[in-house]
Amino acid sequence: MVDIFEPNDTPYGMTYEAHIIKDWQRNLSLPVGKTPLQDKTGETTYGVGTDSPLIYLSGNDGGTTERTCKIGSGVGCFVSICDAVYSEGEKPGSTVDQLSALAKKDQDNVTDLYLEIDGQKFSSEDLKKYRFHTSEFEVQFPENALFGAKPGSSKAVADGYYVITKGFTPGPHTIVTRASVSEPSWNSEVKYNLEVS
């Protein structure tokens, strides 16, 4: 059984919020078709060096996705289960308070939330304590950015459900996430097949 860090822990030297911001900054800095959110196989999902103690397993942009990732023994996983981000780039003229309210409203409308790690199942109730709402942070949108955001620097706010695991032992492992949001209507299921060596 793989252990999950508690919400107030500082996994791998950073708070949960800092990891969430790092993940979104990475996802939003890449153009449509290149971002890990749209990865269909696992090829670009984690996008970190092989010596990293933690990999970032992003969600998807809706629908069902299955990905395969090769990682080293003892490496942990940042797992995005259900989340939302709103930015000035996507919503020009919005204040940080307005972006924060949009992100909160989005995740207040979550109707289904599920995580399974190697057969261990976590329900919506189990995962409630892993909801995080970030402070504002800067993102750098590229040309052809996600959400139709205009290129350049932008303030953003994220809200959602995330867990960070401790290291995995050698061998095959699976992580499954599932989530639904009523408004805006959105459904997602992601399966990660981890090959740990």
Side-chain angles (χ1 to χ4, degrees):
M1 183 188 309
V2 172
D3 291 327
I4 294 174
F5 286 97
E6 291 295 318
N8 292 326
D9 289 342
T10 52
Y12 309 98
M14 293 165 56
T15 63
Y16 264 83
E17 181 182 20
H19 283 292
I20 292 163
I21 290 171
K22 183 177 180 179
D23 186 55
W24 273 119
Q25 287 174 328
R26 177 190 62 144
N27 282 327
L28 298 179
S29 70
L30 297 168
V32 170
K34 300 290 186 182
T35 173
L37 286 171
Q38 297 174 319
D39 183 15
K40 301 302 182 189
T41 64
E43 181 182 1
T44 63
T45 295
Y46 41 101
V48 294
T50 54
D51 59 345
S52 174
L54 177 70
I55 62 170
Y56 290 80
L57 303 182
S58 297
N60 64 8
D61 56 359
T64 301
T65 305
E66 185 167 348
R67 299 166 176 156
T68 298
C69 300
K70 296 180 179 180
I71 66 173
S73 176
V75 171
C77 294
F78 170 97
V79 183
S80 174
I81 305 165
C82 184
D83 54 14
V85 66
Y86 285 86
S87 69
E88 289 176 312
E90 179 191 359
K91 304 283 188 183
S94 296
T95 66
V96 169
D97 284 347
Q98 288 169 328
L99 297 174
S100 182
L102 286 168
K104 180 181 182 301
K105 180 180 177 183
D106 187 299
Q107 293 300 286
D108 283 347
N109 290 328
V110 169
T111 56
D112 181 37
L113 197 65
Y114 177 83
L115 170 68
E116 182 178 327
I117 302 177
D118 290 343
Q120 183 181 3
K121 299 175 182 179
F122 301 85
S123 67
S124 295
E125 195 62 35
D126 297 327
L127 297 170
K128 278 183 180 176
K129 69 178 181 178
Y130 289 97
R131 181 177 176 179
F132 299 89
H133 188 92
T134 72
S135 53
E136 67 176 274
F137 57 95
E138 291 287 327
V139 296
Q140 192 70 33
F141 284 109
E143 295 286 345
N144 193 26
L146 282 173
F147 313 127
K150 72 175 189 177
S153 182
S154 171
K155 286 183 169 49
V157 178
D159 196 317
Y161 297 83
Y162 311 81
V163 299
I164 300 175
T165 75
K166 298 183 180 180
F168 282 84
T169 56
H173 297 271
T174 58
I175 299 175
V176 178
T177 66
R178 188 175 66 237
S180 297
V181 178
S182 61
E183 185 185 346
S185 180
W186 183 81
N187 296 282
S188 167
E189 183 169 336
V190 182
K191 181 180 181 181
Y192 279 99
N193 301 301
L194 301 181
E195 300 174 1
V196 183
S197 59

